[in-house]
Amino acid sequence: MNSLFTILKDIQINVPQSQLQHSFVLCGQTQSGKSTIVSKLTSQQIQDQAGLIYTQQKTNIIGYQAVLQYFEISGQAFKQLLTLPLNKQSYLQYSYILVIDLSDNPHEILNVCNSEIRYIKEETEKKLQQSIDVDTFKQLELNIYDKIMNHHDKNRIMPLYVPIIIVGWKYDLFTKNLDQESRKWITRGLRYISHTNNCSLVFGSNQDYQLVRQTLQYHVKPSASIYQYDHLKQLCITQLSDSIENINLPPSGSNPLDGFNKIIKDQIVAVANNQKKKKQSKISEEDWNSYKEDKIDRLIKQYEFQQKQNKKEEETVLI
């Protein structure tokens, strides 16, 4: 049996140089939807297993034949295998797909996303510095800064050595389980994290994943930027297409991420309290409705009869 390192080496060699080629490394928390995304994009059944799962796809992108490679990091192997497929031959045709479960712990989504982006950036920079020479690394930095310096938010955008695509998955459950106001602030928070870290951001679900496909194709063969930012619909914003002005930051606090988290937490708590009150109110109404009109009428008649009997007894005593 070949080692994982031998397989990775063969993969790089066997891709024809005349074709577009790109490697996507999918990472994120367990059960976030990584295998499902690969299955949807490649029409291949991905078996649920731990470790590094490899899938290859041949496709057509804007008239070009392309070979796409998907490395899914599954289970507890996230930190150990994150940069394994990255090397000096592949780093220019390489992107991370960070999968975020939009339906799970909404008040923690921003913190999870932010911490995992930081980890990916740190590990990627470390691996690149080990894999390529100093001059090549400096040139890579210059190329990245040149793109950022053309954006009016240049002072707030951090450089990213290997592109990260944030995929907010299970969008259908996100819209079903959360109220409109909560979704709006979570979406704005994710936009802020994505924009300031020079990432792309896209939402998708089992039923609708075409925007995810378009975003990946953009990273393989860049064309026109995609900017769909309606908070009530699926987002699709490629890197450097957004702006702080359009995101609309929280009104208070020096750290926008803290501000977003506070609003999201307060909103979710407020909605939960309202639902609790409605439930209690509904129970009271149901209890009252359990007393049918005929039962109430009988009680009233019984009371009136008893009153008449008491009055007769009083009159008899007086006589």
Side-chain angles (χ1 to χ4, degrees), residues 196-214:
T196 54
N197 285 285
N198 196 18
C199 302
S200 294
L201 173 65
V202 60
F203 288 173
S205 67
N206 290 355
Q207 292 74 33
D208 194 348
Y209 52 90
Q210 293 309 314
L211 289 177
V212 177
R213 187 190 300 277
Q214 289 178 32

Side-chain angles (χ1 to χ4, degrees), residues 21-84:
Q21 52 185 299
H22 205 93
S23 298
F24 293 103
V25 177
L26 289 92
C27 53
Q29 294 186 317
T30 305
Q31 303 298 321
S32 57
K34 299 183 293 294
S35 296
T36 304
I37 291 172
V38 176
S39 295
K40 294 292 183 182
L41 294 173
T42 64
S43 300
Q44 299 179 41
Q45 188 63 38
I46 309 300
Q47 293 184 348
D48 187 14
Q49 55 183 304
L52 187 66
I53 306 168
Y54 173 74
T55 310
Q56 189 180 88
Q57 176 192 24
K58 294 182 180 180
T59 187
N60 187 287
I61 299 176
I62 321 176
Y64 292 87
Q65 290 297 313
V67 176
L68 307 183
Q69 300 168 128
Y70 299 92
F71 298 90
E72 180 196 340
I73 302 173
S74 182
Q76 300 299 318
F78 179 23
K79 294 185 177 181
Q80 291 80 5
L81 301 177
L82 181 65
T83 60
L84 185 59

Side-chain angles (χ1 to χ4, degrees), residues 90-229:
S90 69
Y91 74 94
L92 291 175
Q93 293 86 37
Y94 192 96
S95 300
Y96 286 101
I97 300 175
L98 174 58
V99 184
I100 301 294
D101 185 349
L102 294 173
S103 69
D104 185 40
N105 294 326
H107 57 287
E108 289 293 334
I109 286 177
L110 301 189
N111 291 333
V112 168
C113 184
N114 192 50
S115 64
E116 294 193 355
I117 287 175
R118 283 186 178 182
Y119 184 80
I120 293 171
K121 290 174 70 173
E122 290 171 1
E123 292 301 305
T124 301
E125 183 177 354
K126 192 186 304 178
K127 179 68 177 287
L128 282 173
Q129 288 176 334
Q130 296 170 353
S131 303
I132 60 180
D133 60 81
V134 176
D135 290 338
T136 304
F137 186 80
K138 286 182 178 178
Q139 187 58 52
L140 176 62
E141 279 188 313
L142 286 173
N143 294 340
I144 294 168
Y145 275 108
D146 281 345
K147 293 178 182 178
I148 293 175
M149 293 306 289
N150 291 326
H151 198 287
H152 54 270
D153 292 332
K154 56 190 176 187
N155 295 327
R156 305 185 74 164
I157 299 174
M158 299 293 291
L160 190 64
Y161 297 101
V162 173
I164 298 176
I165 305 162
I166 304 169
V167 177
W169 197 244
K170 304 181 186 178
Y171 178 75
D172 51 338
L173 298 178
F174 181 62
T175 57
K176 179 181 178 181
N177 298 338
L178 287 177
D179 65 289
Q180 181 177 316
E181 194 69 12
S182 298
R183 297 200 311 269
K184 179 182 73 175
W185 284 105
I186 290 172
T187 299
R188 284 179 177 171
L190 287 172
R191 284 177 63 188
Y192 172 76
I193 293 172
S194 175
H195 180 55
T196 54
N197 285 285
N198 196 18
C199 302
S200 294
L201 173 65
V202 60
F203 288 173
S205 67
N206 290 355
Q207 292 74 33
D208 194 348
Y209 52 90
Q210 293 309 314
L211 289 177
V212 177
R213 187 190 300 277
Q214 289 178 32
T215 306
L216 269 56
Q217 290 180 350
Y218 172 86
H219 280 263
V220 177
K221 183 68 177 174
S223 53
S225 299
I226 309 172
Y227 187 47
Q228 296 183 206
Y229 61 95

Side-chain angles (χ1 to χ4, degrees), residues 226-262:
I226 309 172
Y227 187 47
Q228 296 183 206
Y229 61 95
D230 188 338
H231 293 129
L232 300 181
K233 298 179 181 179
Q234 287 181 231
L235 287 190
C236 185
I237 304 174
T238 50
Q239 57 185 168
L240 296 177
S241 299
D242 214 340
S243 69
I244 295 296
E245 181 181 2
N246 289 338
I247 291 172
N248 190 8
L249 299 183
S252 61
S254 58
N255 187 335
L257 185 56
D258 290 341
F260 280 119
N261 278 325
K262 184 179 186 309

